[in-house]
Structure formats: structure tokens, C-alpha cells
Amino acid sequence: MANKKDIKKVVLAYSGGLDTSIIIPWLKENYNNCEVIAVSGDVGQGTELDGLEEKAIKTGASKLYIEDLKEEFIQDYVYPTVQAGAIYENRYMLGTSFARPIIAKRIAEIAIKEGADAICHGCTGKGNDQVRFELAIKAFAPDMQIIAPWREWDIKSRDQEIDYAEAHNIPLKINRETNYSKDKNIWHLSHEGLDLEDPANEPQYEKPGFLEMGVSPIDAPDKPTYVTISFEKGIPVALDGQKMDGVTLIKKLNKLGGENGIGLADLVENRLVGMKSRGVYETPGGTILYKAHQCLETICLDKLTMHEKKKLSVTYAELVYNGQWFTPLREGLSAFADKINENIKKQDIAARYGGDKISVILKNMSHDEAKYMAEYMTYSLSCCLVDDIGPVNKVSVGIATYPDDSMDKEKLLILAEQAVLVSKTKGYNNGHSTIVSAQDYDFWEDTALNSFAAVMAKRHSQLGINFEDALVEQFQSENILSQNHLIEIVTSLASAIDAKDTYTNGHSGRVATYSREIAKRLGYDERGQDEIYMMGLLHDVGKIGVPDAVITKPGRLTEEEFAQIKSHPAKGARILQAIGELPKLAVGARWHHERYDGRGYPDGLKEREIPEEARIIAVADAYDAMTSNRSYRRSMDQKAVREQIEKGKGTQFDPRFADIMIQMIDEDRDYQMRETEGE
């Protein structure tokens, strides 16, 4: 170590926080009144950099470098880590860890340029950052002396640091009561100290000012937000079809995720230096990005590669956490990640996943190529663990391709969703994964697509529009050209119903399938089976006119809210009556909540006053409701469901149709007739 008297110029890693604010005068006091050059690496701290130069000069620095490192940080440090799937101890997305190497590298470069005698940092002797900074500095300036005040001075606590600052008239943005230790950059924000020191204390997510990048899940909106992320070789390049640089993309994802209460992690981590530390992290955009990348991997990676990559991601996370970024091993693992990400994805894929249903839109692919991609995806899902729930052995996949099927995004989405509905029906019959392309059937007609897409566009673009009235108006003006055209409209509507409530996604298709099976066992001919299937698909169409907040409310409904729910049969009948070519469509919608004993709604009909098709749908609807997850409860086991159907014979259900449903339950020994999402 050089003599302190030989230290004439020091480059300081400067953040303007408590530690580095007092280090400038401390260096001048203890290192022969040396020149102090402050360096701040801008990795997205935002307003924390405001007024930094003035503060640094006033406290004794000769100059301040503020280096804009944001885009380099995202492209060369963040994205490679995402590609590698590296998350430390399954929770921590390495926000501080991979920000230190790029800052230290730039500090070392400036120190060499300035002819400095030493580099100084403000990392504590019990923290990880001292190792991260010093390993990176040694990679680029191996002969440079490193000064670490926390390993030299007599200051023992943050309170003593504040005492020192007050004695030297150093302005601070914190006080003794609110001095959480925080680290912020474009990727994340960490919180440590104060009440968080006790693991028994719950983070104060709802306290104003605690969260800075988003809101508590309790305060998040009760409706979904959709975003499409486009990847090139595993690197995100666009949001919702709009190309953008890394900084802009992460900022937009942070806003979306933060508004929806995404990305909060409360954990006790094992630190590099041999202790445990409790921290609360905000990483909204990063959480979305990791999830999207993982979903794409299930499509694009083979079984052995995915499994090996998962093992190596643990090592990668360890290296990043431990400050070993500039090492041959980390570089080698990044080369591996680059290789396996070559197919994630040279072409755009838009996908919607909902339990055991997947709709996929593929760009610039032939029909045969798309089918192959889907087959490969289903194979991968059956072989690999998905979100720690195990292999997925049965999925229903619907495919639409751009531009062969359509060049319009609304049409493509509807085509894919319709194909999924057909696939779901086939899957129920054969008991394994099925794949259906829009090109497999000849009933996808432009007339119906145009009409429904127009209404859907209004739905997505105009707040407060009465979707019920829009549909009635549209259907009254329609000229139904054929039975196929009618089927097209029905499947489009069913897709809209499912999109209304994520908790009941797939409900319409399952009710339709069960209803058709009951009708088949009653001796209905094929046309009658098809009719009741369409009625089942549309039995809940009236929910389109019920507010989302009411449908998805997790707790008990108020009287007013329950009245809104009870209005959906009449609303549904009004919509479907506008389709004059099949008057019976409205039967299931209006009367599926009537009871055999006359105590149902909306009309209080009983026994054979209730149309037969509605009585069939009522049993199928009740069965699926009990076997599906809801916002307010989990699904019931099959034994309990059977008991409820048996108990409802002659009161809630027509005994004949209840007996058939019980027979179907008894035959379903593997419990396949149910929603599988979340299992």
C-alpha cells in the first residue's frame, strides 16, 4: 500500500448519498488534502442526480463527471442476464449487482485518464458492493490503489455519519427517521434498514412514499393490462409493435408493471460476505421481461437445453451477485446464452396463454411451418417443468399466421381465438393436446370478421362505450349469409366473453362441450347437438354488459352489484335476439339461471316451463362453475361436485339431466372435465 502522503489525486465513486457525501471532506482530512475527482455513473437514478455537481464542488471535489451509461447498462449487462435467466436465490433480479461493474469500469477508465493515484468507494465493510467495485476496478486498473473508508475510519453507524455531516455542514436529503438505505437505477429500487431490519415487520407497501416505482397490489386496478413484447435473439426490441431502444422499453415496462402492482419482492438473502440481509425490491419492468422471456423459452428451447440452461442460470446469478462479471466463466456462460437465444425469436410471435389454452399469431410463416412450431411447443410443454407446476400434457392451441390469414391485428387475434375454441372441443373428445390452424377450416369468413372486429375495436379504444348496444346495432344491420357465417359470429362472441374475465377463461367452451355431450346422450341429432353447443358458447354473452370490476370482484357482492350480475341473462337474450337467423340462440342466455323448483331468475319459470336446452345448459354451467377457480374461491374436488349435483336434483336441476351429468362424472375417473389453470 502506498504512503498516504503519496496520494495526491483520488477518483471517487460518487452518488451524493450519505456515504459518499461525507467521504470527500474525510479524504481531504486523512489523505494530505488530496484532490478529489467525483464520478457518477448514470444508470437511471433519475432525480437523484439533480444538483449533484454543485453539491460535490461545495463539499470539496475539484470536478464531477456524470457519465450517461443507461443504454450500455441495459444492452450489455441487463439483457445478457435476462437471456441467461439469472435470478439470485429465485427472487432477486440483481438490480444492484449488475449495475456496479459498469460503473466501476468507467471509474477505472477515468482514473487512468486523469492520472489518479487511487480510486475510492463508499461501500461498507459488511456489504457486497465493496467486492463488486474492487473486482471490476482490478480488471481494468490492476495497479491502482483502492481506498475503502468504511474499512479505515472510526464511524460505526449511519447515525454517526449524519453527525459527521452536520459537523461539516454537508447538506443531506435524508433525516434520522426516514433514512432507509436505498439503491435506485432504471431496473430497480431496493429498500433496507429501519423497520425492515426485523423480519417480522411487514413492508409498508400502502404507506405513501414507501414505493416509488409502482403501487401495492392492493391498490392496483382489478382488470388486466395487455402488452406484446417482440424479441430478436432473446433481446426485447419492441413493445406493442413499436421498435424502441432499451432505455425507453424498460421505462415503459416499469410504468405498466408499476401501475399494476407487479415486481415487489420481500426477501432475506445470503450475502457474499457471509451474512443475511433483508431487503424489499421494486422491479416492475424486469419482472414482466423475465416472465415473457421464460414463456418464449417453452416454445423455442428443446428439453435438454432448457434443463441445462436452468442449472447454469444459477451459476450465472452467483457470478453476477458476487461481482465476478469480468471473468472468463461469466463471458462463457453469456456465449452459451447467446447461442440458445438465436431462435428467441427471429420473427415476431404474439401469444395469449390461459390455463390449457394457447392462441398464437406467427409472422411470415407458412401454414406447415406454423403447425410444426406448435407441435414442437406442445412437445416441449409435455417434457419440461412450466412455472414449477410440472409438465403440461394436454393443451389446446389455435394458430393464425400473418399475412396468409390476415394482415389486420384484430382479425388475426379473433382467428387465433376461434381456432383455440375448435381445438379445445377436439381435445375434450380425444383426451390429448390438439392443434388447430385457421386454415384447417373453411368457415372463417371476412364478413363476420369485419363486423366483429369493428365492435372489438370500439371496445378497446373507447372508454364507457355500451358494448351491449354496439353489438345489438351491429347484428341488426348484418345480413347473415350462411350457417358458416353464423358459426363465425358465435365463436367470435365466445372469445369476447372469455376475455372479459380471466378467472372464467374457457368457461363458455367447456359449458358448450358438456351441454352437447348431454344432448348427445339424450338422443339429439347432429344438428340439435350443434345448436345447443352454440347456445352453450353464448349463454353468458350478457356479461359483456356488466362492469369488469363487478365480474372480477374477489369479495362478497353488494346488493347493487348482485343485481348487475343478475341482469346478464336478459342482456344476453337481447343481444342474441338481434341475430334473427337462429332465434333459439337466446334460449340458453335468458334462462340458464332458472331453477327447476321455480326459484331462479330472471322470470321464475319452473319445471317444463323452462326450455329443455336451458335446463341442460343450467346443469353444465353449474358443474363447470364448481370445478373452476374463481376470484373468490378455489375449485371443488369431484366428489363434492357430484354430491352437489345429486343434492340439486328436483330443486335446482331437472333430474333427468342431472343424472346424465352424474354419469359423465362417474366415467371421468381422471378428473379431466375441469379447468386446469393454476393446478
Side-chain angles (χ1 to χ4, degrees):
M1 179 180 289
N3 191 305
K4 286 187 177 183
K5 292 182 179 179
D6 297 328
I7 304 296
K8 297 187 172 23
K9 184 183 290 187
V10 178
V11 169
L12 170 66
Y14 185 72
S15 69
L18 177 58
D19 295 331
T20 57
S21 293
I22 68 171
I23 283 174
I24 294 176
W26 182 88
L27 280 171
K28 299 181 84 66
E29 288 176 357
N30 291 273
Y31 281 83
N32 199 32
N33 197 33
C34 62
E35 180 185 0
V36 179
I37 299 172
V39 178
S40 289
D42 181 3
V43 287
Q45 299 94 313
T47 58
E48 290 183 8
L49 299 175
D50 294 348
L52 212 58
E53 182 174 15
E54 181 182 3
K55 182 178 179 180
I57 301 297
K58 279 186 176 181
T59 52
S62 63
K63 68 173 78 171
L64 171 69
Y65 286 87
I66 298 180
E67 301 292 291
D68 187 354
L69 306 174
K70 295 190 290 295
E71 188 64 28
E72 183 183 353
F73 173 51
I74 295 296
Q75 296 293 342
D76 295 348
Y77 295 81
V78 172
Y79 286 169
T81 306
V82 174
Q83 281 184 305
I87 300 177
Y88 185 68
E89 296 187 337
N90 297 316
R91 300 286 308 282
Y92 174 44
M93 293 186 179
L94 299 163
T96 299
S97 307
F98 51 31
R100 298 311 189 221
I102 185 174
I103 295 172
K105 173 177 177 286
R106 188 66 185 122
I107 288 170
E109 292 168 346
I110 290 173
I112 294 170
K113 172 187 162 185
E114 289 282 353
D117 304 302
I119 293 173
C120 179
H121 64 76
C123 308
T124 67
K126 65 178 182 179
N128 300 313
D129 281 348
Q130 59 181 328
V131 180
R132 295 165 182 159
F133 268 107
E134 293 181 29
L135 285 177
I137 290 167
K138 289 299 182 183
F140 294 93
D143 298 324
M144 188 76 64
Q145 182 171 333
I146 296 175
I147 301 172
W150 272 99
R151 300 202 292 262
E152 294 185 31
W153 63 21
D154 295 327
I155 296 172
K156 305 295 184 186
S157 68
R158 290 177 68 81
D159 274 343
Q160 290 182 8
E161 284 187 287
I162 294 173
D163 289 340
Y164 185 97
E166 291 174 347
H168 290 76
N169 297 315
I170 299 171
L172 300 175
K173 293 181 179 180
I174 63 171
N175 57 54
R176 298 179 194 273
E177 289 72 40
T178 62
N179 63 333
Y180 282 113
S181 178
K182 296 186 180 185
D183 178 74
K184 185 178 183 180
N185 57 47
I186 193 172
W187 184 251
H188 91 150
L189 173 64
S190 65
H191 309 253
E192 296 178 4
L194 295 180
D195 56 303
L196 299 177
E197 293 287 347
D198 185 349
N201 290 331
E202 184 178 355
Q204 302 180 64
Y205 292 143
E206 286 77 52
K207 183 179 179 181
F210 182 85
L211 297 177
E212 298 182 26
M213 299 182 73
V215 300
S216 166
I218 293 175
D219 299 323
D222 293 327
K223 59 181 181 180
T225 298
Y226 294 97
V227 61
T228 300
I229 305 173
S230 301
F231 288 82
E232 293 283 349
K233 297 184 178 181
I235 301 297
V237 295
L239 289 184
D240 294 329
Q242 183 180 353
K243 294 276 187 179
M244 58 187 65
D245 60 78
V247 172
T248 304
L249 188 146
I250 295 299
K251 284 182 176 179
K252 286 184 177 294
L253 283 180
N254 280 337
K255 184 175 184 298
L256 284 171
E259 291 171 346
N260 286 276
I262 291 171
L264 299 179
D266 176 13
L267 63 141
V268 176
E269 69 198 54
N270 287 296
R271 284 198 161 173
L272 162 64
V273 293
M275 65 182 67
K276 291 184 180 289
S277 175
R278 198 264 187 102
V280 172
Y281 298 94
E282 300 179 56
T283 322
T287 301
I288 296 171
L289 200 56
Y290 265 94
K291 182 65 176 178
H293 192 273
Q294 289 166 358
C295 289
L296 277 180
E297 285 183 327
T298 66
I299 300 172
C300 301
L301 297 187
D302 63 272
K303 173 184 175 181
L304 291 178
T305 301
M306 179 178 282
H307 289 188
E308 195 62 32
K309 188 241 178 176
K310 197 165 187 176
K311 297 176 195 174
L312 294 175
S313 69
V314 175
T315 302
Y316 198 107
E318 289 273 359
L319 291 169
V320 177
Y321 189 84
N322 294 346
Q324 296 171 297
W325 185 270
F326 302 110
T327 61
L329 179 55
R330 200 284 306 166
E331 292 171 359
L333 292 179
S334 283
F336 169 76
D338 283 340
K339 180 63 180 177
I340 68 173
N341 275 272
E342 286 180 354
N343 292 320
I344 309 178
K345 179 54 178 87
K346 293 180 181 179
Q347 300 173 3
D348 291 335
I349 296 179
R352 177 181 293 174
Y353 170 72
D356 60 352
K357 298 192 302 177
I358 302 171
S359 56
V360 183
I361 298 172
L362 299 166
K363 185 179 179 180
N364 296 328
M365 275 196 182
S366 68
H367 173 71
D368 290 341
E369 289 173 328
K371 290 289 286 280
Y372 175 80
M373 172 71 76
E375 289 167 359
Y376 188 81
M377 177 179 65
T378 57
Y379 169 77
S380 298
L381 290 171
S382 68
C383 295
C384 304
L385 295 177
V386 180
D387 286 347
D388 298 323
I389 65 173
V392 179
N393 295 312
K394 178 187 169 185
V395 294
S396 302
V397 183
I399 301 168
T401 60
Y402 171 94
D404 289 351
D405 292 321
S406 178
M407 297 179 65
D408 181 87
K409 64 181 182 179
E410 291 285 351
K411 289 184 182 181
L412 279 169
L413 179 60
I414 294 170
L415 283 169
E417 294 280 343
Q418 291 168 331
V420 147
L421 285 171
V422 176
S423 179
K424 182 73 173 174
T425 303
K426 293 175 64 177
Y428 174 73
N429 292 331
N430 62 31
H432 56 75
S433 294
T434 53
I435 301 166
V436 169
S437 167
Q439 296 182 21
D440 291 340
Y441 291 82
D442 61 4
F443 54 78
W444 317 114
E445 296 189 8
D446 279 348
T447 305
L449 283 170
N450 284 328
S451 65
F452 194 77
V455 178
M456 287 294 290
K458 290 181 182 178
R459 170 69 174 168
H460 291 302
S461 64
Q462 297 180 26
L463 295 177
I465 186 170
N466 188 322
F467 198 34
E468 176 192 345
D469 287 346
L471 281 173
V472 171
E473 181 181 351
Q474 189 68 49
F475 293 146
Q476 285 176 339
S477 65
E478 285 276 350
N479 179 26
I480 306 296
L481 301 176
S482 66
Q483 181 73 4
N484 290 338
H485 186 180
L486 180 62
I487 293 171
E488 175 70 26
I489 291 174
V490 169
T491 52
S492 298
L493 278 171
S495 298
I497 300 165
D498 277 357
K500 183 77 170 174
D501 180 9
T502 55
Y503 282 102
T504 60
N505 203 335
H507 172 70
S508 302
R510 291 191 297 272
V511 170
T513 300
Y514 304 152
S515 298
R516 178 159 60 187
E517 181 62 22
I518 295 172
K520 181 181 179 181
R521 297 187 183 207
L522 283 166
Y524 279 48
D525 60 21
E526 191 168 328
R527 181 176 180 178
Q529 293 173 36
D530 288 343
E531 285 184 353
I532 199 166
Y533 181 83
M534 286 191 285
M535 291 182 207
L537 278 178
L538 299 180
H539 77 283
D540 269 342
V541 70
K543 286 185 176 179
I544 286 173
V546 179
D548 294 355
V550 175
I551 290 176
T552 60
K553 185 176 179 179
R556 183 182 295 275
L557 298 176
T558 66
E559 289 187 10
E560 181 182 354
E561 290 168 338
F562 187 55
Q564 288 180 297
I565 289 289
K566 289 178 69 175
S567 71
H568 82 269
K571 290 178 181 288
R574 177 174 174 253
I575 292 170
L576 298 179
Q577 284 166 354
I579 306 175
E581 285 73 10
L582 189 56
K584 291 183 73 174
L585 270 181
V587 167
R590 184 168 185 90
W591 292 301
H592 68 281
H593 279 298
E594 300 288 356
R595 288 171 54 101
Y596 199 69
D597 60 8
R599 295 192 295 160
Y601 63 90
D603 300 316
L605 305 182
K606 68 178 185 177
E607 297 182 3
R608 294 182 180 272
E609 292 174 352
I610 309 167
E612 185 170 275
E613 295 91 345
R615 282 177 275 149
I616 293 172
I617 292 170
V619 177
D621 180 50
Y623 174 83
D624 190 69
M626 289 186 281
T627 56
S628 303
N629 296 317
R630 292 291 187 264
S631 58
Y632 49 87
R633 61 145 177 82
R634 299 289 294 175
S635 61
M636 298 167 60
D637 65 71
Q638 198 171 33
K639 182 181 177 183
V641 174
R642 190 190 190 284
E643 290 173 353
Q644 288 300 312
I645 299 287
E646 183 73 47
K647 183 180 178 182
K649 288 167 54 176
T651 53
Q652 185 174 355
F653 310 120
D654 186 313
R656 285 193 304 154
F657 308 148
D659 282 336
I660 293 174
M661 178 56 75
I662 290 170
Q663 183 185 31
M664 291 165 59
I665 292 171
D666 292 340
E667 293 172 1
D668 182 28
R669 295 182 177 87
D670 296 328
Y671 202 5
Q672 295 296 310
M673 292 197 315
R674 60 167 177 161
E675 178 191 35
T676 57
E677 183 177 5
E679 296 293 321

